[in-house]
Amino acid sequence: MFQKPETAMKKITKLVLVGTATLTILNSAALTQQARTGTITKVDRINGTVAIQQTQSGTTGANTGGAEEFKTQQGLSLDALHAGDKVTFSTTEAGGIKTITKLQKQ
């Protein structure tokens, strides 16, 4: 009816570790999905990539540095976008590849 104290502690420890890992994964996914803003510096329609120079939050007109290149999610149209366009976008990252999931011209 009662478990040995060591067995109960192992189960509690395992639950705490699994819960912590789950929260860490969920938090990083949520941060990745946050909408960001920037200016398109290059559009490569053939390869389905776009380079965006992100706007630094908190300072109007400030940029964070060089442009970053992203793959675009399949089905995302780049036809109406051009270098110099201001955009809002969301990304995900898997296997070191950053992919734009949402892209909207401002």
Side-chain angles (χ1 to χ4, degrees):
M1 187 163 173
F2 292 103
Q3 294 180 355
K4 292 182 181 181
E6 320 67 67
T7 305
M9 284 302 291
K10 285 181 182 178
K11 285 184 179 182
I12 291 171
T13 302
K14 191 174 184 179
L15 281 172
V16 168
L17 290 174
V18 168
T20 302
T22 302
L23 287 174
T24 301
I25 291 168
L26 291 175
N27 281 340
S28 63
L31 288 175
T32 307
Q33 286 293 327
Q34 288 182 343
R36 297 184 274 175
T37 59
T39 303
I40 293 178
T41 59
K42 180 179 96 174
V43 178
D44 184 344
R45 290 175 183 83
I46 293 171
N47 294 314
T49 61
V50 62
I52 300 175
Q53 185 171 11
Q54 294 182 54
T55 303
Q56 182 179 359
S57 63
T59 307
T60 306
N63 291 318
T64 59
E68 189 172 3
E69 192 163 308
F70 300 92
K71 295 282 273 169
T72 55
Q73 188 174 38
Q74 192 167 8
L76 195 63
S77 176
L78 298 175
D79 292 340
L81 298 172
H82 304 284
D85 288 345
K86 302 239 185 268
V87 293
T88 301
F89 64 101
S90 297
T91 63
T92 60
E93 183 172 352
I97 298 172
K98 294 180 182 180
T99 304
I100 292 182
T101 56
K102 293 180 184 178
L103 183 61
Q104 184 174 359
K105 194 173 175 178
Q106 292 183 334

